[in-house]
Amino acid sequence: RDARILKDSTWRDENGLLGLKLFVEEGPRFYFGNISWKGNSLHEDKRLNAFLGIKKGDVYNQELLEQRLKYSQDGQDVSSLYMDDGYLFFRVDPVEISINKDSIDMEMRIYEGPQATIDKVNIVGNDRTHEHVIRRELRVRPGQKFSRQDIIRSQRQIINLGYFDQEKVTPETDVNQQRGTVDITFSV
């Protein structure tokens, strides 16, 4: 956490390659201390801690913390818990509230917000098949609650059709926070 570069030097060798030497002071190793939750009314602290997957005494890792809060490849992060239940406007901010020797106590400040409803589902760029072939693969429909997992699953289903380049199949969301709705556009 407190690592810093003390000095550095650069040079070119006889082959023209650039050399770089860094002198790093790592500082002491820190660990997670107590982790508390504020602002959560939908899920109990115990459930949020299970999704976070970080316990008191684990080595402090800011990158892992952000991943477990906001987006994990396995879908087991705190944001997914809320966003898969329609809470598109959900936000969590981790705050270091105290540092005791080598332990950092954290407070996770949550804004749950209202649930969002899907207003429109659009498909653009299709010139390979009839639109109904794509629509029958979608797991998102107008009137449903927003679900990040359903959007990812819909994207996967469209790719599995085999008509489209998987890098080009991208979902985009157009959020209307005042109305509490979201339009989803799948570019194929």
Side-chain angles (χ1 to χ4, degrees), residues 118-129:
I118 298 170
D119 190 22
K120 296 177 187 168
V121 178
N122 304 309
I123 299 168
V124 298
N126 174 32
D127 60 1
R128 302 271 171 100
T129 187

Side-chain angles (χ1 to χ4, degrees), residues 18-98:
L18 181 64
L20 173 66
K21 191 171 196 174
L22 300 173
F23 295 89
V24 178
E25 180 182 291
E26 293 178 345
R29 180 174 267 192
F30 286 91
Y31 301 89
F32 284 102
N34 295 317
I35 298 173
S36 60
W37 300 88
K38 299 288 182 220
N40 54 311
S41 62
L42 296 169
H43 301 286
E44 294 179 0
D45 292 2
K46 185 176 179 180
R47 178 144 191 211
L48 294 172
N49 283 329
F51 264 76
L52 183 62
I54 296 173
K55 298 179 287 307
K56 182 177 182 176
D58 288 352
V59 174
Y60 184 83
N61 182 333
Q62 182 70 33
E63 185 177 323
L64 176 65
L65 177 64
E66 288 294 321
Q67 178 185 356
R68 299 303 300 163
L69 286 174
K70 300 194 176 153
Y71 189 77
S72 177
Q73 290 292 335
D74 63 4
Q76 294 295 307
D77 55 87
V78 175
S79 288
S80 289
L81 182 64
Y82 281 89
M83 287 192 174
D84 289 343
D85 195 26
Y87 291 90
L88 175 62
F89 309 111
F90 165 82
R91 188 178 72 245
V92 59
D93 298 315
V95 178
E96 296 178 2
I97 55 172
S98 71

Side-chain angles (χ1 to χ4, degrees), residues 69-180:
L69 286 174
K70 300 194 176 153
Y71 189 77
S72 177
Q73 290 292 335
D74 63 4
Q76 294 295 307
D77 55 87
V78 175
S79 288
S80 289
L81 182 64
Y82 281 89
M83 287 192 174
D84 289 343
D85 195 26
Y87 291 90
L88 175 62
F89 309 111
F90 165 82
R91 188 178 72 245
V92 59
D93 298 315
V95 178
E96 296 178 2
I97 55 172
S98 71
I99 300 172
N100 303 315
K101 296 181 184 173
D102 64 350
S103 294
I104 300 173
D105 292 341
M106 303 291 300
E107 182 176 88
M108 307 303 172
R109 297 179 182 168
I110 292 178
Y111 169 74
E112 293 172 339
Q115 286 180 306
T117 304
I118 298 170
D119 190 22
K120 296 177 187 168
V121 178
N122 304 309
I123 299 168
V124 298
N126 174 32
D127 60 1
R128 302 271 171 100
T129 187
H130 294 285
E131 189 168 307
H132 76 273
V133 173
I134 299 169
R135 287 203 179 272
R136 72 178 176 215
E137 299 299 322
L138 298 180
R139 299 294 179 250
V140 291
R141 307 250 189 277
Q144 287 179 329
K145 287 188 295 184
F146 175 86
S147 170
R148 184 167 74 184
Q149 180 180 353
D150 286 346
I151 292 173
I152 293 168
R153 187 169 175 208
S154 295
Q155 179 184 15
R156 199 174 309 133
Q157 292 293 107
I158 292 171
I159 291 168
N160 287 341
L161 286 171
Y163 293 123
F164 309 104
D165 181 3
Q166 69 182 25
E167 277 90 40
K168 293 185 179 176
V169 177
T170 55
E172 297 172 20
T173 55
D174 182 22
V175 178
N176 184 331
Q177 195 163 2
Q178 292 169 333
R179 291 183 42 214

